[in-house]
């Protein structure tokens, strides 16, 4: 573990903003909330944030991105796959968001080789930060994602006038080369461990049982339609819970035609299983017509389906869905706890 | 083990890059259905398994999945039978021979021809469900000796909806396949002297050995439950049934989530499923 003075860390970020070809983005305040956005200067960084509105997923899987362009000339026709490699230097990523990106890596790179994702991911640098403030909707400790020891290039912990820095990758190590650092003292290492340990108690919300029990619990709850109907009654099918989630990755593919009509592009954009037409086929048959079915699908996917296929619980406990759901019915922690309680009643 | 999707094409920068296919022939089947014969560059074969699908890209309009209607034994251009129901399908109906489309694939799991080798095959097609089944029907017809007795049941809403009319005639006159057909109804302006009734009405009179028969079924969602029930009543075991299912698809490769059926992805794990795999999945609706 290294230690870097606060002023040197600031200088490092300034230098990256000034000279790295990639855009440097970081957590900052925007009105009432925290967001990841382009940094004009290191001073904008708000590393004491509790939760950002959207997760940094947007930098590896943008809300809209071009998969393909096409152009038609008289008798020729050209189609080109696009895989925009524009990576970002992302500063201030909380451990649960790093965990979410690790899950996406497994699916989009290791398993299904999604080139547009891979390119952006491999050209990006993730600078994590140990949580200092915990959102009231967050239950990351229960999901094992309040702290993390891989999946970042650098991981910093605020020690007041200095930061402790964990180096996760060679690229992270290289970033530090231009600024003075020193090895952390035994006390500083200890201090970081304490901060992390204290975090465990900082959460208002917790899952009442280990997440490893989720797949079985959900499987057993699948047919409990009364529960799902009751629960989904207030749901507006707005899809916000899907959109804000760092582990949700469903998308739609659209064709965008240029005005002249002989060229254009194919884009993918975020989509969500809570939206009514998500599973509708051309002639109108909808395989998940009822709100309750869609609602159930979301929780099954998070706690069971993705686990079956990839071995991960697709919820890192960030609490964004809970915070942004106006109907107050999106909280996985609450849903899973209630299911568990019902099962034991 | 069944083989995974094989791929002969070099894709460009990513799997999302289609290769250019040229429509070489279009055959009108009904008011709404046309058969498109598509050639790949340099005479490359699509190299598909019966029952697999491609993503067809129409510039400026969109992309949609279509089952490959021709058998892989039929080398050269491949065939898609397309019903005009919306944006992409209407746009391709407006195209002419010589026009170019994009093709991605073949994708998904088709009919497991190794698993059903040696068995008597009972094909049951409803409406446009004949298109995917035709790839395996013709496969079986082209490989005499590889399978046992062949039977095809085909049901449409009305006589004018029948696809592949010439082929149906040849099947009806053939002594290597027992072909039977039905229509739900006969409008006054159409002629028909065959069976009238839903497709399940063709099943009870059939004589087949449930021990040596495998049923391959494709049709509209409402059809499956009733066909399976009728097959069970004839003593056919669940593990002797294969189904091809349709779902909304966008990516065709297990990412976009649209085709999800409980924990399965129809584009990766299907569209052809062994019935026991989907029997207890509510979202399969079978
Ligand atoms: C595995 C598979 C095989 C198929 N085989 C055939 C075939 O051989 N012949 C045939 O005529 N049809 C087939 N279909 C159905 C065909 O894909 C749809 O009719 C087609 O997608 C409709 O597209 P559209 O743009 O014309 O319709 P629109 O109603 O204009 O569709 C608008 C949008 O809805 C979405 N959508 C709606 N339904 C579907 C769907 N079923 N699949 C994908 N996206 C959908 C798409 O985003 C599409 O862009 C098959 C479908 C699947 C999944
Ligand atoms: S659960 Fe909440 S956020 Fe999600 S779709 Fe329903 S109302 Fe919208
Ligand atoms: S489901 Fe909710 S709490 Fe879980 S990762 Fe997604 S947004 Fe965060
Ligand atoms: S079509 Fe995208 S996941 Fe199956």
């Amino acid at each position: 573990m290294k230690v870097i003075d606060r002023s040197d860390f600031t200088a490092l970020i300034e230098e990256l903003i000034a000279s790295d070809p990639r855009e440097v983005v970081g957590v900052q305040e925007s009105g009432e909330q925290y967001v990841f956005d382009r940094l004009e200067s290191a001073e904008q960084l708000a590393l004491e944030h509790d939760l950002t509105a959207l997760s940094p997923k947007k930098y590896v899987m943008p809300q809209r991105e071009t998969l393909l362009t096409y152009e038609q000339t008289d008798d020729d026709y050209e189609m080109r796959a696009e895989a925009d490699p524009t990576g970002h230097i992302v500063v201030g990523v909380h451990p649960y968001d790093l965990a979410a990106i690790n899950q996406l890596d497994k699916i989009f790179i290791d398993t299904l080789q999604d080139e547009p994702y891979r390119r952006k991911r491999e050209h990006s640098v993730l600078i994590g930060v140990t949580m200092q403030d915990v959102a009231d909707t967050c239950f990351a400790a229960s999901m094992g994602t309040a702290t993390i020891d891989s999946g970042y290039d650098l991981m910093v912990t605020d020690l007041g006038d200095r930061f402790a820095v964990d180096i996760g990758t060679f690229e992270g190590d290289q970033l530090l080369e231009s600024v003075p650092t020193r090895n952390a003292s035994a006390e500083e290492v200890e201090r970081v461990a304490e901060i992390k340990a204290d975090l465990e108690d900082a959460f208002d919300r917790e899952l009442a049982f280990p997440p490893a029990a989720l797949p079985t619990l959900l499987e057993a709850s699948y047919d409990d339609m009364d529960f799902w109907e009751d629960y989904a009654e207030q749901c507006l099918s707005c899809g916000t819970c899907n959109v804000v989630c760092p582990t949700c990755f469903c998308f739609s593919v659209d064709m965008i035609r240029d005005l002249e009509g002989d060229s254009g592009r194919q884009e993918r954009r975020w989509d969500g299983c809570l939206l009514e037409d998500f599973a509708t086929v051309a002639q109108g048959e909808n395989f998940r017509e009822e709100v309750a079915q869609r609602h159930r699908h979301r929780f099954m996917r998070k706690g069971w389906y993705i686990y079956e296929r990839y071995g991960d619980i697709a919820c890192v406990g960030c609490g964004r869905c809970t915070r942004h759901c106006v109907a107050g019915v999106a909280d996985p922690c609450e849903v899973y706890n209630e299911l568990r309680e019902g099962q034991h009643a | 083990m069944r083989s995974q999707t094989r791929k002969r094409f070099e894709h460009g920068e990513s799997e999302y890059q289609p290769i250019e296919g040229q429509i070489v022939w279009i055959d009108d089947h009904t008011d709404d259905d046309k058969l498109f014969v598509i050639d790949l560059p340099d005479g490359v074969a699509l190299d598909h398994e019966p029952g697999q699908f491609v993503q067809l890209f129409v510039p400026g309009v969109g992309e949609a999945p279509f089952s490959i209607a021709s058998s892989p034994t039929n080398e050269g251009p491949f065939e898609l039978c397309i019903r005009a129901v919306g944006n992409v399908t209407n746009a391709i109906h407006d195209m002419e021979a010589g026009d170019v489309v994009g093709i991605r694939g073949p994708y998904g799991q088709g009919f497991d021809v190794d698993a059903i080798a040696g068995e008597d095959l009972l094909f049951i097609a409803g409406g446009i469900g004949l298109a995917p089944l035709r790839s395996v029907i013709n496969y079986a017809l082209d490989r005499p000796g590889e399978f046992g007795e062949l039977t095809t049941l085909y049901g449409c809403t009305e006589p004018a909806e029948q696809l592949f009319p010439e082929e149906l005639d040849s099947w009806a006159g053939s002594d290597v396949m027992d072909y039977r057909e039905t229509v739900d109804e006969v409008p006054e302006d159409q002629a028909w002297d065959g069976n009238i009734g839903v497709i399940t009405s063709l099943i009870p009179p059939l004589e087949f050995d449930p021990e040596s028969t495998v049923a391959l079924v494709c049709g509209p969602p409402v059809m499956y439950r009733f066909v399976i029930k009728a097959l069970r009543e004839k003593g056919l075991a669940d593990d002797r049934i294969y189904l091809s299912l349709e779902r909304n698809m966008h990516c065709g490769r297990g990412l976009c989530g649209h085709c999800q059926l409980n924990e399965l992805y129809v584009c990766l794990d299907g569209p052809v499923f062994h019935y026991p795999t989907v029997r207890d999945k509510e979202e399969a609706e079978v």
Side-chain angles (χ1 to χ4, degrees):
Chain A
M1 188 177 287
K2 299 272 181 188
V3 167
I4 180 171
D5 279 349
R6 197 172 198 98
S7 57
D8 289 326
F9 182 74
T10 306
L12 170 65
I13 301 297
E14 293 294 358
E15 186 195 308
L16 291 172
I17 293 172
S19 61
D20 197 282
R22 290 167 291 197
E23 192 170 73
V24 182
V25 298
V27 184
Q28 45 194 285
E29 280 185 59
S30 166
E32 303 265 278
Q33 50 185 0
Y34 294 103
V35 296
F36 279 96
D37 207 347
R38 182 195 171 91
L39 290 174
E40 308 287 342
S41 96
E43 266 171 28
Q44 289 172 298
L45 271 177
L47 296 179
E48 70 295 345
H49 67 290
D50 65 341
L51 186 63
T52 54
L54 288 181
S55 82
K57 176 186 79 179
K58 63 182 179 178
Y59 297 116
V60 283
M61 190 185 172
Q63 261 165 299
R64 285 186 171 280
E65 84 183 294
T66 299
L67 295 177
L68 186 76
T69 54
Y70 70 90
E71 205 163 332
Q72 227 167 342
T73 52
D74 289 342
D75 51 358
D76 207 14
Y77 182 52
E78 197 180 333
M79 287 180 279
R80 274 232 334 248
E82 300 287 326
D84 175 9
T86 306
H88 291 82
I89 297 177
V90 192
V91 192
V93 187
H94 274 171
Y96 50 77
D97 278 340
L98 291 166
I101 290 177
N102 288 349
Q103 288 189 9
L104 295 179
D105 288 354
K106 200 190 259 188
I107 298 167
F108 278 73
I109 300 177
D110 302 344
T111 313
L112 292 170
Q113 283 112 30
D114 184 86
E115 196 61 14
Y117 179 96
R118 186 185 68 79
R119 288 219 172 187
K120 273 181 277 297
R121 181 67 181 93
E122 288 182 356
H123 286 85
S124 291
V125 167
L126 301 176
I127 301 181
V129 61
T130 304
M131 293 168 79
Q132 291 181 56
D133 191 6
V134 169
D136 56 357
T137 57
C138 188
F139 57 104
S142 304
M143 305 310 288
T145 59
T147 58
I148 195 167
D149 28 76
S150 64
Y152 47 78
D153 294 285
L154 294 174
M155 183 81 199
V156 304
T157 305
D158 193 334
L159 298 177
D161 57 355
R162 61 206 189 285
F163 287 104
V165 191
D166 244 332
I167 298 165
T169 61
F170 177 67
E171 174 146 27
D173 193 33
Q174 281 189 314
L175 279 186
L176 287 180
E177 265 179 8
S178 62
V179 282
T181 58
R182 60 174 170 79
N183 287 331
S185 66
E187 267 164 31
E188 284 162 333
V189 173
E190 176 79 0
R191 181 76 198 110
V192 170
E194 263 171 36
I195 292 174
K196 289 187 181 174
D198 288 349
L199 259 179
E200 297 290 316
D201 300 323
F203 292 83
D204 289 344
R205 258 169 228 253
E206 62 179 10
L207 196 66
F209 55 97
L214 271 172
T216 323
L217 171 66
L218 285 171
E219 190 170 358
S221 312
Y222 188 87
D223 291 322
D224 190 354
M225 222 44 217
D226 286 348
F227 175 87
W228 298 111
E229 269 159 21
D230 242 21
Y231 215 89
E233 210 172 344
Q234 309 293 320
C235 169
L236 309 167
S237 296
C238 65
T240 303
C241 50
N242 297 141
V243 166
V244 298
C245 179
T247 69
C248 275
F249 56 84
C250 289
F251 57 84
S252 278
V253 179
D254 301 321
M255 192 74 72
I256 317 286
R257 201 199 314 220
D258 292 346
L259 282 179
E260 301 76 35
D262 48 9
S263 62
R265 64 191 189 281
Q266 197 187 41
E267 279 188 353
R268 72 168 156 208
R269 62 176 164 83
W270 293 353
D271 204 343
C273 59
L274 258 302
L275 297 169
E276 191 170 352
D277 283 336
F278 189 76
T280 305
V281 295
Q283 282 164 307
E285 175 96 13
N286 187 346
F287 291 92
R288 235 173 275 121
E289 194 160 23
E290 307 294 329
V291 188
Q293 293 174 320
R294 298 197 290 278
H295 207 72
R296 173 179 66 181
H297 178 76
R298 170 171 170 251
F299 292 109
M300 293 289 159
R301 190 172 150 104
K302 298 216 159 294
W304 174 22
Y305 300 159
I306 296 284
Y307 178 82
E308 284 259 309
R309 207 167 263 262
Y310 299 105
D312 290 321
I313 299 291
C315 171
V316 294
C318 69
R320 287 187 178 90
C321 53
T322 314
R323 180 176 274 191
H324 293 284
C325 174
V326 290
V329 291
D331 182 359
C333 189
E334 188 178 313
V335 168
Y336 295 151
N337 282 343
E338 278 187 23
L339 280 178
R340 173 77 163 203
E341 225 169 85
Q343 209 182 39
H344 285 252
Chain B
M1 273 312 291
R2 37 196 322 196
S3 58
Q4 288 292 312
T5 308
R6 291 156 296 172
K7 210 159 277 120
R8 274 236 205 112
F9 319 127
E10 282 300 313
H11 282 269
E13 297 232 19
S14 82
E15 280 264 0
Y16 297 104
Q17 169 142 6
I19 59 158
E20 208 172 280
Q22 189 177 39
I23 301 172
V24 290
W25 177 255
I26 300 174
D27 203 6
D28 288 1
H29 278 195
T30 72
D31 288 350
D32 297 329
D33 305 286
K34 290 185 184 183
L35 182 77
F36 295 84
V37 182
I38 298 171
D39 206 2
L40 297 176
D42 310 319
V44 169
L46 186 62
D47 199 10
H48 64 290
E49 295 167 17
Q52 285 191 300
F53 69 96
V54 292
Q55 285 280 7
L56 177 123
F57 171 104
V58 181
V61 185
E63 213 179 18
F66 298 97
S67 293
I68 303 148
S70 48
S71 162
T73 47
N74 178 14
E75 282 168 24
F78 67 94
E79 298 170 6
L80 304 177
C81 180
I82 297 179
R83 174 162 296 178
V85 295
N87 297 330
V88 175
T89 47
N90 278 311
I92 184 161
H93 268 242
D94 288 341
M95 293 181 124
E96 293 168 6
D99 285 349
V100 167
V101 292
I103 300 289
R104 287 197 288 137
Y107 288 134
Q109 304 295 326
F111 291 99
D112 189 345
V113 288
D114 297 328
I116 58 176
E119 307 282 359
D120 297 334
L121 303 183
L122 170 58
F123 304 102
I124 304 178
I128 191 137
L130 183 61
L133 278 184
R134 179 178 174 262
S135 69
V136 61
I137 295 172
N138 282 332
Y139 180 91
L141 288 172
D142 287 345
R143 298 193 158 215
E146 198 162 303
F147 303 95
E149 305 205 337
L150 306 179
T151 308
T152 298
L153 312 182
Y154 179 34
C156 288
T157 48
E158 54 182 63
E161 293 281 293
Q162 282 198 328
L163 305 170
F164 303 100
E166 285 140 38
E167 225 155 308
L168 299 183
D169 282 346
S170 80
W171 293 349
S174 134
D175 47 12
V176 292
M177 185 161 71
D178 179 2
Y179 169 74
R180 304 178 189 203
E181 60 187 18
T182 186
V183 293
D184 295 352
E185 55 183 19
V186 185
E188 277 176 16
D189 58 341
Q190 293 177 28
W192 183 257
D193 55 9
N195 192 77
I196 299 176
V198 291
I199 187 143
T200 40
S201 67
L202 294 179
I203 297 174
L206 273 185
E207 283 178 28
F208 62 84
D209 178 1
E211 300 294 317
S212 64
T213 299
V214 165
L216 299 86
V217 188
C218 186
V222 291
M223 191 185 97
Y224 292 96
R225 208 161 279 174
F226 298 104
V227 164
I228 289 165
K229 185 162 173 283
L231 290 172
R232 281 175 161 177
E233 278 163 13
K234 296 288 280 185
L236 197 71
D238 287 358
D239 67 357
R240 299 197 142 262
I241 303 175
Y242 291 84
L243 313 167
S244 179
L245 301 180
E246 184 187 327
R247 285 298 181 276
N248 189 336
M249 289 187 184
H250 283 244
C251 69
R253 45 191 308 265
L255 281 166
C256 75
H258 283 275
C259 73
Q260 217 175 336
L261 180 174
N262 294 101
E263 81 278 17
L264 302 170
Y265 292 87
V266 175
C267 66
L268 283 185
D269 307 312
V272 176
F273 290 98
H274 194 202
Y275 176 50
T277 309
V278 291
R279 178 180 49 203
D280 302 320
K281 312 244 177 270
E282 184 183 302
E283 292 180 7
E285 300 193 2
V286 292

